[in-house]
Amino acid sequence: ALPNRPSMRLVLSDLKAEIHGSVGIVHGVSTQTRLDGTPVGSVRFTDVFVREHGHWRAVSAQETAIG
């Protein structure tokens, strides 16, 4: 953990994963709250992965704040 940074909880929802050959795409919503349940914010995200030599490697990520 980073010093002076409060602990947070992340909850993923609306997840959708697609595989197109050696490319994987994951879409969803990540919601961050404080441990007492106070909401901090949410983002809609898209992550792109490539399968190389038997392993998945993240190659791109995008987030947009929502709500």
Side-chain angles (χ1 to χ4, degrees):
L2 297 172
N4 302 320
R5 190 172 194 178
S7 295
M8 298 283 175
R9 176 175 290 125
L10 290 176
V11 175
L12 300 176
S13 60
D14 298 332
L15 292 175
K16 179 180 177 186
E18 308 169 34
I19 296 177
H20 304 278
S22 62
V23 176
I25 303 170
V26 179
H27 307 277
V29 173
S30 176
T31 301
Q32 185 176 22
T33 62
R34 292 185 175 83
L35 294 182
D36 67 3
T38 305
V40 174
S42 295
V43 296
R44 183 165 299 282
F45 68 88
T46 300
D47 294 336
V48 180
F49 300 85
V50 173
R51 187 163 177 88
E52 294 178 333
H53 309 292
H55 300 281
W56 288 102
R57 181 172 63 93
V59 295
S60 181
Q62 181 275 330
E63 295 182 342
T64 301
I66 57 175

